Amino acid sequence: MSGKRGATRLGFAVLLKFYTQFGRFPRNRTELPGEAVEFVARQVQVPALELESYDWTGRTVEYHRAQVREHLGFRECSVADAEKLTAYLAEHVAHKERRPEQVRVELLARCRTESIEPPTSGRCDRMWGPLCGRPRRR
């Protein structure tokens, strides 16, 4: 975290902590419990209110995500990864589990095992929706 200050330092720390706990990045600030932000803010010695000025859509957050992935040994989900994950779900999960929320849990667990950043919600839905009896969305 050297060279990072203020909102940038806190934003990076929150991304890292969230990813280590949940195996994915938060979609936005609203996913972060206030007490967790306060805790991390104390650790990095930045006021929690600084997080309000962190840009969740710009180049900085993309760079921070890449740094977190590299540090934790994860990679983004490629098309080939998505195909392998879908095949895994079809072979090992879909025959015994049809509840979409549980299939998603299995998918996230498999991503963590394979050191793959989970696909976006929309991409997940396209991957496992048909396995759960949902029509394929585009």
Side-chain angles (χ1 to χ4, degrees):
M1 286 211 302
S2 67
K4 293 175 177 58
R5 297 180 311 188
T8 303
R9 183 179 182 88
L10 181 55
F12 178 82
V14 166
L15 288 176
L16 177 61
K17 185 65 174 171
F18 192 95
Y19 200 97
T20 57
Q21 186 166 359
F22 298 105
R24 67 174 180 83
F25 292 109
R27 289 179 276 286
N28 54 47
R29 169 70 175 92
T30 60
E31 272 195 282
L32 304 170
E35 60 276 2
V37 172
E38 290 284 341
F39 177 81
V40 173
R42 283 192 303 275
Q43 298 296 306
V44 298
Q45 300 176 345
V46 174
L49 286 175
E50 291 278 326
L51 194 60
E52 296 303 321
S53 60
Y54 186 73
D55 184 4
W56 292 92
T57 60
R59 289 187 305 200
T60 300
V61 73
E62 292 303 319
Y63 179 61
H64 287 171
R65 286 174 174 220
Q67 288 180 306
V68 168
R69 274 187 223 103
E70 183 178 338
H71 176 73
L72 297 175
F74 279 72
R75 66 183 186 280
E76 288 186 86
C77 185
S78 68
V79 172
D81 289 328
E83 290 171 357
K84 285 168 49 176
L85 289 167
T86 302
Y88 172 82
L89 291 173
E91 184 177 338
H92 299 282
V93 178
H95 68 280
K96 62 183 175 186
E97 183 60 67
R98 295 292 227 205
R99 293 175 298 167
E101 62 280 353
Q102 191 57 39
V103 174
R104 181 172 174 73
V105 167
E106 296 286 340
L107 172 62
L108 295 177
R110 185 65 179 185
C111 285
R112 197 170 256 220
T113 299
E114 298 290 324
S115 298
I116 299 169
E117 178 183 348
T120 63
S121 295
R123 192 172 183 195
C124 284
D125 205 25
R126 289 188 299 275
M127 288 169 59
W128 54 257
L131 300 174
C132 298
R134 291 182 170 177
R136 185 174 288 273
R137 290 184 2 194
R138 302 240 176 230

